[in-house]
Every structure is written in C-alpha cells, then in structure tokens.
Amino acid sequence: MKIIAVASQKGGTGKTTTAAAIACWAAEHGIRTLAVDLDPQGSLTHIFRGDGTAPGAYELMKGDAQASQIVQVGEDLPDLISASLQLAGADTEFSTKPGRDFFLRKALERDSGRWDLIVVDTPPTLGTLLVNALAAADKAIIPLQADTFAAQAIFQLMETIGQVQQYCNRDLKVAGVLLTRYSGRTVLSRDLREDLEEKCTAMDLRLLPPISEGIAVKEAQTMQQSLFTYAPKSKPALDYCAVIEEVLGG
C-alpha cells in the first residue's frame, strides 16, 4: 500500500484538483484506491459526491471507527473517507493527546490490505492534520501556482516536511513541486516558472511538468465527474496523466 499526501500551506493552488486527479486516474487504471479528505472545507468530498454528514476522517483519526467501516464507495469514482467541519477543531482537540502525529497512520494500517493506493487531501494550513498526512505518507506532492509568493510557500512547507522526516517519518519523500493552472503564453508565468525551478534546484526538489490551465477542470468538478471521464483529451487531463504516471511509477 502506497500513501500520497497532496500538501500546500495556502489555498487556491490546485491541491484538491490534484488529489482528485491522482485518485481518479489510479482507480480508472485498476488500482484499488482510497481518497481521504482531511480538509474541513470538504471540497474533495463534494467532488466525489460524498456525504459530509456521515462518519469520516474525523472519526477515523479519533479512533472511533475503522476505515473499512466508514468508507463511501462510489460506482464510478474512487473509494472515499469524507471530511466534515469537525476537522476544523482537530488542532485544538488533538494537540494535547499522546501520539497525535500518528493517528492517521495507525488508523490506515488497520486496513492496509484493502487498498493499493491512498491519496490524502490536506488542509491549506500548517497544523496537526497536515503533519498526520505527512507522517503517514510515502510521498508528498506540493502543488503551487506560478505567482510571486510561490517560493515563499515552498520554504515554509519544506520546514514542516523536514521536521516530519526527522521526527515522524524518515521514509517520506517529496515527489516534486507541481505548477497548476499554468499558462505558458504569458511572459510573467514563464519567468516565474524559471525562478521557481532555480529555487527548487537549490532545495534539491524536482519541479514536475506543469498542469495547463483549462476550463475542463472546473466543469468536471461542477459535474462531480472524473476529469479523465469528462474531458480525457483536454490539456489539463493529458498533463495530469503524464505527471501521475511518473509519480506513481517512481
């Protein structure tokens, strides 16, 4: 069983879109896949037509339920453990509990034989839920937009990842930084991409091939469908295919 955490410490980076794309691509290629929504906003839960009022990730981390008991199985989408607004208080609730960084890892280990791949969508904050996702993961992907603050966001997140690698999960690898909603037609985007590539090289990080901007992504999410089913020939879908094959194969 492999676990991939999609992590970003700011919103609007294409984090949930990337998590959904990885999970859908894997499921459509016959890989037994589970998506875990740790973001209290529940965007992944909505995209996958999940029930945010049912027991989900909050109950899983508390130890009140096992993954196999609360998984929501979709007919044409990956299995899902949903998010709820109760996750918003996780930092306060779990902060004083022993072993708080390993709640998710221990919970997923109980059903390790059921899925081949688990994709975890994380909240856009540096807190307990993100640390739990990283402590459980084999790989992390960092989605970003090509903007002025992208490099700063990487520095902050890499500090957290470094601490997790040191104290919680020595096997955690960063698969790469992924630029989303990228438009190579603008000089600014190209310049920011070059600058970001230099910053990534300095941090020994790989800048993955970018994901093109395209309306098909929002349309697929609105229709609550897989991007690869809704618009398989769209540029974002083709870009994601290439990146996901590389990440899962490596």
Side-chain angles (χ1 to χ4, degrees):
M1 179 181 73
K2 292 184 178 180
I3 301 178
I4 293 178
V6 183
S8 175
Q9 60 95 12
K10 58 180 290 189
T13 63
K15 174 181 59 63
T16 297
T17 298
T18 299
I22 296 171
C24 287
W25 185 95
E28 290 168 20
H29 283 75
I31 299 171
R32 297 177 302 167
T33 305
L34 171 68
V36 178
D37 192 353
L38 281 190
D39 188 344
Q41 297 178 67
S43 298
L44 188 67
T45 297
H46 173 74
I47 292 171
F48 284 176
R49 304 194 290 271
D51 182 358
T53 65
Y58 174 75
E59 288 77 12
L60 180 70
M61 291 188 65
K62 279 193 70 176
D64 291 344
Q66 295 184 17
S68 58
Q69 297 171 328
I70 58 176
V71 62
Q72 299 179 32
V73 180
E75 293 181 4
D76 56 346
L77 291 166
D79 291 352
L80 172 72
I81 292 181
S82 62
S84 68
L85 288 175
Q86 289 173 297
L87 286 170
D91 279 345
T92 302
E93 182 176 350
F94 297 152
S95 63
T96 59
K97 294 187 177 182
R100 62 185 179 274
D101 296 337
F102 302 99
F103 290 162
L104 182 63
R105 179 197 288 186
K106 291 180 178 178
L108 295 176
E109 284 175 349
R110 296 191 188 103
D111 290 289
S112 60
R114 178 162 181 163
W115 295 283
D116 303 313
L117 176 67
I118 297 177
V119 181
V120 184
D121 187 24
T122 63
T125 54
L126 303 178
T128 300
L129 295 174
L130 175 60
V131 171
N132 264 266
L134 295 173
D138 301 291
K139 293 181 180 179
I141 293 178
I142 305 173
L144 289 175
Q145 278 192 276
D147 61 32
T148 308
F149 306 105
Q152 181 183 358
I154 295 178
F155 287 134
Q156 293 174 339
L157 182 56
M158 285 306 298
E159 286 184 8
T160 299
I161 290 175
Q163 291 175 355
V164 170
Q165 289 171 325
Q166 183 175 358
Y167 298 110
C168 304
N169 183 2
R170 293 183 179 179
D171 296 326
L172 174 63
K173 305 255 188 305
V174 179
V177 174
L178 181 65
L179 283 178
T180 63
R181 301 174 186 170
Y182 179 74
S183 176
R185 294 188 299 273
T186 68
V187 175
L188 178 61
S189 291
R190 294 196 299 270
D191 288 346
L192 287 170
R193 180 185 177 186
E194 290 178 6
D195 180 65
L196 192 57
E197 190 161 20
E198 291 179 5
K199 299 285 197 312
C200 287
T201 300
M203 289 185 285
D204 198 25
L205 291 173
R206 174 142 192 266
L207 186 63
L208 295 164
I211 305 299
S212 301
E213 187 173 21
I215 191 63
V217 173
K218 289 184 178 180
E219 290 177 345
Q221 291 175 349
T222 300
M223 299 298 293
Q224 296 177 298
Q225 293 182 20
S226 162
L227 173 63
F228 308 110
T229 300
Y230 179 80
K233 300 288 180 70
S234 66
K235 194 67 170 66
L238 295 174
D239 290 344
Y240 267 121
C241 283
V243 168
I244 293 168
E245 287 177 0
E246 183 174 332
V247 170
L248 293 185

